[in-house]
Amino acid sequence: MRTVYVNGEYLPETEAKVSIFDRAFLMADGVYEVTSVLGGKLIDFDGHARRLARSLAELDMKAPCTEDELLAIHRELVARNEITDGLVYLQVTRGSAGDRDFAFPDPETTEPTLVLFTQNKPGLADNPAAKAGIKVISIEDIRWGRRDIKTVQLLYPSMAKMAAKKAGCDDAWFVEDGKVTEGSSNNAYIVKGGKIITRELSTDILHGITRAAVLRCAKEAQMEVEERSFSIDEAKEADEAFVTSASSFVMPVVEVDGAKVGTGTPGPVAARLREIYLEESLKAAV
């Protein structure tokens, strides 16, 4: 049985409780982060902590604790649950004022809710999909306009995942005004003529922590990077495609809307980036 963290307490998962009046439950009024664990250490923790602080600030939400306290909680959960490879999920909500109201509760009298739990994923970095590649479909992007804030309102991404599953594929890429924004839970890329192309940062996409690290690795490896939007047709004509996220790292995409990308097998750029990213991330893990 897992040990989880709820508002200052480490509890068996069966004893963890949050109020039915919690704002996340009633209004999706919360933000979250997912940090990978490899070899018992946290990957890119500083980046996730910075993005969490930004999400909280953008929503005028009170921080539940300091970054140092958050790191200590992560480490304690990893230790208590004996996680070698896996994930730590963190969620902060605006809390519970004891009733339902559209207006925000007073942060002076309503404390935010802080919940964390682990997921055990043995061999996380050795996912067989990284060698086979994944297939994606495209789907219209009808999410709200502040996708740069990592909120818990994930209904449409969940629907996109299910649409992909029904189509016999692995994931979906969102398309808005003819251009790919991002994947349902990842950032999207194509490779053409050795150049890595991915959408520029804005409120249209999540500012991926793995995205930032992978692009840094690419530039250090003398790979050319162009940050701009691209279409599904461009993706179909690309030499390679891939996605990045905290849980999949660098994942090759071999098919888009039924069309093979390149040779229909994972390409050398994605493979090399995955190798470099994992190597560098493990060196810096905490």
Side-chain angles (χ1 to χ4, degrees):
M1 183 181 296
R2 278 179 295 188
T3 295
V4 302
Y5 179 94
V6 181
N7 293 333
E9 293 187 277
Y10 294 94
L11 302 165
E13 60 182 299
T14 53
E15 295 178 18
K17 295 180 176 63
V18 175
S19 170
I20 64 166
F21 299 113
D22 192 274
R23 296 275 302 183
F25 179 64
L26 297 177
M27 305 285 186
D29 191 357
V31 298
Y32 76 104
E33 287 290 337
V34 179
T35 302
S36 289
V37 179
L38 293 178
K41 292 188 176 182
L42 299 161
I43 302 296
D44 289 332
F45 176 81
D46 288 347
H48 288 288
R50 286 195 301 271
R51 185 171 63 183
L52 174 66
R54 180 182 182 276
S55 292
L56 292 170
E58 289 295 313
L59 295 178
D60 196 23
M61 196 179 296
K62 183 178 177 181
C65 61
T66 67
E67 183 176 327
D68 286 344
E69 290 169 335
L70 206 56
L71 176 58
I73 296 167
H74 276 71
R75 284 175 164 163
E76 185 66 19
L77 281 178
V78 168
R80 290 194 184 209
N81 291 295
E82 300 180 344
I83 303 296
T84 300
D85 294 341
L87 307 170
V88 180
Y89 178 91
L90 170 158
Q91 182 167 304
V92 182
T93 86
R94 210 177 298 273
S96 167
D99 210 340
R100 181 180 181 274
D101 196 329
F102 277 87
F104 292 170
D106 184 350
E108 296 301 319
T109 57
T110 302
E111 288 296 313
T113 297
L114 175 61
V115 171
L116 291 93
F117 60 82
T118 58
Q119 292 179 290
N120 190 32
K121 304 278 186 179
L124 181 64
D126 300 318
N127 188 340
K131 291 183 172 61
I134 64 171
K135 300 175 181 180
V136 303
I137 62 170
S138 62
I139 186 171
E140 183 184 2
D141 199 340
I142 58 172
R143 299 170 299 162
W144 83 312
R146 290 304 307 274
R147 300 153 196 165
D148 56 308
I149 305 173
K150 198 171 177 69
T151 72
V152 298
Q153 47 182 308
L154 297 171
L155 178 57
Y156 192 60
S158 294
M159 293 176 70
K161 291 277 192 188
M162 293 309 299
K165 186 175 181 180
K166 288 177 182 177
C169 294
D170 305 288
D171 206 351
W173 279 2
F174 294 125
V175 177
E176 185 175 57
D177 298 327
K179 302 293 186 180
V180 174
T181 47
E182 57 191 340
S184 65
S185 59
N186 43 58
N187 291 114
Y189 309 73
I190 59 173
V191 180
K192 188 68 175 178
K195 181 188 295 183
I196 300 165
I197 302 167
T198 190
R199 195 175 179 110
E200 67 279 7
L201 293 180
S202 70
T203 57
D204 294 334
I205 67 169
L206 183 69
H207 299 190
I209 302 307
T210 308
R211 174 192 184 279
V214 166
L215 291 185
R216 184 174 63 251
C217 288
K219 291 171 182 176
E220 289 173 356
Q222 305 301 309
M223 296 180 182
E224 188 177 357
V225 175
E226 182 178 0
E227 294 185 64
R228 66 164 176 85
S229 57
F230 60 86
S231 67
I232 288 294
D233 285 342
E234 277 189 274
K236 290 179 179 179
E237 296 298 320
D239 302 322
E240 295 182 45
F242 62 92
V243 296
T244 62
S245 73
S247 58
S248 65
F249 311 118
V250 179
M251 182 63 64
V253 172
V254 297
E255 184 180 295
V256 176
D257 281 345
K260 287 183 179 180
V261 177
T263 62
T265 58
V269 172
R272 181 59 179 145
L273 277 176
R274 183 181 179 88
E275 180 183 30
I276 296 171
Y277 170 74
L278 285 171
E279 182 180 325
E280 294 303 313
S281 294
L282 282 168
K283 286 180 184 176
V286 296

